[in-house]
Amino acid sequence: MTPEPEYFDDIHAHTRTGERILTSVRPAEMPAHPEPGTWYSVGIHPWDTSEPISDRDWTLIETLASHPQVAAIGEAGLDAGRGGDRATQEAVFRRQAALAEKYSKFLMIHCVRRYGRIMELKRELNPSVRWIIHGFCGKPELARQLIAAGFGLSLRRECPRETELRDTFPNTYFFSETDK
């Protein structure tokens, strides 16, 4: 059975694997035969949307989304500073959100200066799976808006606002990550 986000001690890592670590990989990086007890998040990062996503890549991510050791889809998202144009990033994001729904996997989101649009998409798409913003270290007002919209927040390592955020909101909305 695929674990819920609360299962993970580290909900977003790239080079570390382990039983309670969710390792984020691009589709081509997913091991053909993952070690038992390891968990993965697989997706197309918004930074990788400058070039068209091939049908082969979409077929691969669809196949991987159904893998029993893939617990989440992502790092999907929107980034105002890097990657393809806004329309392309949003199209790739929507397709990954649909995969998360189809396979009942939570969605790990990379978001840079596009929080308003991410909240609009969540209202529009009305997902049944959890959407979690990774690397969050924003102001409490933004955290309040995201939490009110139903997002989980994975706090960036060494976030100077971590204590303030955790003291302001219930811990049920927060997850920890190393991003390494």
Side-chain angles (χ1 to χ4, degrees), residues 103-152:
Y103 293 102
S104 299
K105 311 285 177 145
F106 61 94
L107 187 64
M108 287 299 292
I109 300 170
H110 169 100
C111 187
V112 175
R113 297 189 326 265
R114 298 293 311 280
Y115 291 106
R117 185 63 184 140
I118 285 286
M119 287 187 273
E120 289 171 358
L121 286 167
K122 188 165 189 305
R123 280 191 297 276
E124 176 189 328
L125 299 175
N126 193 27
S128 63
V129 297
R130 303 266 308 266
W131 284 20
I132 299 171
I133 304 284
H134 109 82
F136 186 80
C137 192
K139 294 180 180 178
E141 177 56 26
L142 178 56
R144 185 195 63 70
Q145 292 172 14
L146 290 164
I147 288 168
F151 287 88

Side-chain angles (χ1 to χ4, degrees), residues 22-180:
L22 186 62
T23 306
S24 179
V25 296
R26 288 174 165 88
E29 298 170 340
M30 178 75 182
H33 304 288
E35 292 292 318
T38 57
W39 297 99
Y40 294 87
S41 173
V42 62
I44 299 169
H45 197 287
W47 294 353
D48 296 334
T49 60
S50 295
E51 300 294 323
I53 310 302
S54 71
D55 289 340
R56 183 173 160 235
D57 286 339
W58 281 117
T59 299
L60 177 58
I61 193 171
E62 172 101 22
T63 300
L64 294 173
S66 67
H67 193 285
Q69 286 174 260
V70 170
I73 303 300
E75 230 176 293
L78 304 176
D79 191 315
R82 276 179 79 176
D85 61 51
R86 289 179 179 217
T88 300
Q89 285 188 27
E90 187 171 316
V92 171
F93 178 83
R94 284 175 178 274
R95 195 157 174 186
Q96 290 181 96
L99 286 174
E101 283 294 310
K102 180 177 180 178
Y103 293 102
S104 299
K105 311 285 177 145
F106 61 94
L107 187 64
M108 287 299 292
I109 300 170
H110 169 100
C111 187
V112 175
R113 297 189 326 265
R114 298 293 311 280
Y115 291 106
R117 185 63 184 140
I118 285 286
M119 287 187 273
E120 289 171 358
L121 286 167
K122 188 165 189 305
R123 280 191 297 276
E124 176 189 328
L125 299 175
N126 193 27
S128 63
V129 297
R130 303 266 308 266
W131 284 20
I132 299 171
I133 304 284
H134 109 82
F136 186 80
C137 192
K139 294 180 180 178
E141 177 56 26
L142 178 56
R144 185 195 63 70
Q145 292 172 14
L146 290 164
I147 288 168
F151 287 88
L153 303 175
S154 177
L155 298 178
R156 186 178 80 208
R157 251 181 337 139
E158 302 170 10
C159 174
R161 294 187 175 108
E162 180 174 2
T163 301
E164 179 183 12
L165 290 167
R166 288 190 185 272
D167 287 349
T168 305
F169 305 99
N171 269 345
T172 55
Y173 295 103
F174 294 107
F175 301 92
S176 296
E177 68 175 57
T178 60
D179 201 13
K180 63 178 181 177

